[in-house]
Amino acid sequence: MAAIDQNTVRKDLRDFIIENFMVGSENETLHDNDSFMERGIVDSTGVLELTSFVEEKYAFTIEDDEMLPENLDSIDNLVKFIQKKLN
């Protein structure tokens, strides 16, 4: 697969997270390095929704042993993880 545009990935992830997990939180700011779990944005069920979105959007499978905060717990972590999986 061709190299991915990090800005596009960031925007896609941010839009998904705000739309699905931050409803009613329009005044809250989501920074790329914010921990979803620490901020209470994504819970354990939300992680499954997020991984499903990423798998569908980028056409790869996230293995059980990859379901780690360092891969999934912020926009920055997700961008790095997606890039690694696609390269």
Side-chain angles (χ1 to χ4, degrees), residues 34-61:
D34 284 349
S35 165
F36 303 141
M37 296 297 249
E38 285 178 18
R39 293 245 347 248
I41 296 168
V42 178
D43 60 14
S44 56
T45 305
V47 169
L48 298 176
E49 289 177 56
L50 182 59
T51 56
S52 291
F53 168 76
V54 169
E55 287 178 329
E56 197 171 300
K57 179 89 178 161
Y58 299 102
F60 64 77
T61 301

Side-chain angles (χ1 to χ4, degrees), residues 6-19:
Q6 285 190 6
N7 293 327
T8 301
V9 173
R10 280 180 204 286
K11 181 186 181 323
D12 291 344
L13 292 169
R14 177 180 303 283
D15 290 349
F16 178 81
I17 290 158
I18 290 171
E19 187 177 305

Side-chain angles (χ1 to χ4, degrees), residues 14-32:
R14 177 180 303 283
D15 290 349
F16 178 81
I17 290 158
I18 290 171
E19 187 177 305
N20 290 278
F21 303 113
M22 296 180 73
V23 176
S25 306
E26 289 81 19
N27 296 329
E28 279 190 56
T29 304
L30 176 62
H31 299 283
D32 288 349

